[in-house]
Amino acid sequence: MNVLVVDDSSAMRKIIISALNKTELRGSRTIEAATGKEGLDKFLDGNFGFILSDWNMPEMDGLEFVTRVRKVDNRVKIIMITTEGTMGKLENALDQGVDEYVVKPFTPETLDRKIKKLLGVKH
Amino acid sequence: MKADVSSAKLNEIAERVWSMVLGLPLTPAKCDPGRAEASAFVLGRVTISGTWQGSVTLGCSPALARRAAGAMFGKPPAEADPGDIRDALGELTNMVGGNFKTLLKGDCRLSVPDVVDVVPYAEVKPAPVEHLWFECEGGLVILNVLEASTGRSRTT
């Protein structure tokens, strides 16, 4: 499976990819994007099963990125990785097409639980 | 609007971020300007705008910043380059600032982090302020929450 990791922080992309290697998605091909726009371009060029996206990014934030992805694809699983823990905002993100969210800082186990839930894998 | 976040909560946020992301212990330390004045700091900063206006900064010694970058990227500290160090401190600051923002009332927005490579202690501590001090493997970590309206940091 191809996994798109969108985050303006290269540090966070590395953390996410390192954590992914300890989840149900280990062994997947990961593609990185540093902005929402770059993420959208790569998404449109590829065949992705999962997207892990930051929320707070310059120019195109994660929510706008997700909204644009959802205009063309309703099947890809999207996890928002964010420091945003405000329930109202998280509910809004879920309404916009985010499937799950992980609040930073997180452990690989937390990410794995969310991924398994979306894949329908029993714990 | 005044933030209503206790220093105990800020301590908890900083310790959780540090230990979960780096796997390193962060312990509260006594404020000792004499110890810091001779030191240089790498300083990360995020600003918050909205119903609360201000910034959150996280400063630590260049050696500790290098150690943190090594821990974050799974490499020996000596192999962490300046870009790794900036990325690491920027992300740590982003997480601490983002978790602080979540505790604020009303609608607030977090900036992307910026990191200043090496600054003197005077720039870490705009006087007169209170701020939170921590220690990690013998190095200092200083967390400031600065309200834009007063220019003073706040910890209660």
Side-chain angles (χ1 to χ4, degrees), chain B residues 9-19 26 96 134 143:
Chain B
K9 193 69 193 172
L10 287 169
N11 267 313
E12 182 194 320
I13 289 170
E15 289 171 29
R16 182 159 42 92
V17 167
W18 209 264
S19 65
L26 190 69
V96 172
F134 302 90
L143 168 63

Side-chain angles (χ1 to χ4, degrees), chain A residues 11-105:
Chain A
M12 203 58 219
R13 294 198 302 275
K14 287 176 190 169
I15 290 170
I16 293 168
I17 291 169
S18 171
L20 274 173
N21 288 327
K22 298 171 185 165
T23 72
E24 196 71 19
L25 292 178
R26 73 183 70 82
S28 296
R29 180 168 175 250
T30 53
I31 307 292
E32 297 181 47
T35 66
K37 183 179 181 316
E38 185 187 348
L40 194 60
D41 290 343
K42 288 189 172 173
F43 178 75
L44 295 172
D45 281 346
N47 179 25
F48 292 94
F50 256 88
I51 296 174
L52 289 88
S53 177
D54 185 25
W55 187 324
N56 185 28
M57 295 186 285
E59 294 172 28
M60 183 190 294
D61 70 14
L63 209 51
E64 186 182 348
F65 165 67
V66 169
T67 303
R68 293 197 185 195
V69 167
R70 284 298 183 223
K71 283 182 180 167
V72 295
D73 190 314
N74 274 317
R75 291 191 308 173
V76 63
K77 306 294 185 194
I78 303 178
I79 297 178
M80 189 75 92
I81 296 181
T82 178
T83 56
E84 182 55 71
T86 311
M87 195 45 69
K89 290 188 176 177
L90 292 171
E91 285 171 355
N92 180 42
L94 295 171
D95 289 344
Q96 297 295 315
V98 171
D99 294 302
E100 272 293 344
Y101 59 85
V102 173
V103 177
K104 295 188 279 189

Side-chain angles (χ1 to χ4, degrees), chain B residues 6-19 24-32 35-36 39 41 56-61 64 92 96 121 124 130-145 155:
Chain B
S6 69
S7 55
K9 193 69 193 172
L10 287 169
N11 267 313
E12 182 194 320
I13 289 170
E15 289 171 29
R16 182 159 42 92
V17 167
W18 209 264
S19 65
L24 299 174
L26 190 69
T27 51
K30 190 180 171 196
C31 181
D32 179 6
R35 179 181 170 194
S39 304
F41 289 83
V56 175
T57 68
L58 198 61
C60 66
S61 69
L64 182 55
L92 290 167
V96 172
Y121 175 61
V124 180
E130 249 190 302
H131 45 190
L132 298 179
W133 284 48
F134 302 90
E135 196 145 357
C136 175
E137 299 195 335
L140 280 178
V141 178
I142 298 178
L143 168 63
N144 263 322
V145 175
T155 55

Side-chain angles (χ1 to χ4, degrees), chain B residues 42-100:
Chain B
V42 182
L43 188 68
R45 175 175 39 229
V46 289
T47 58
I48 296 172
S49 55
T51 49
W52 187 86
Q53 310 254 6
S55 60
V56 175
T57 68
L58 198 61
C60 66
S61 69
L64 182 55
R66 179 177 290 278
R67 172 81 178 87
M72 185 177 280
F73 301 129
K75 55 171 78 169
E79 290 178 18
D81 64 31
D84 291 335
I85 293 168
R86 273 194 300 275
D87 285 348
L89 193 61
E91 194 50 47
L92 290 167
T93 309
N94 184 49
M95 286 190 203
V96 172
N99 278 269
F100 167 73

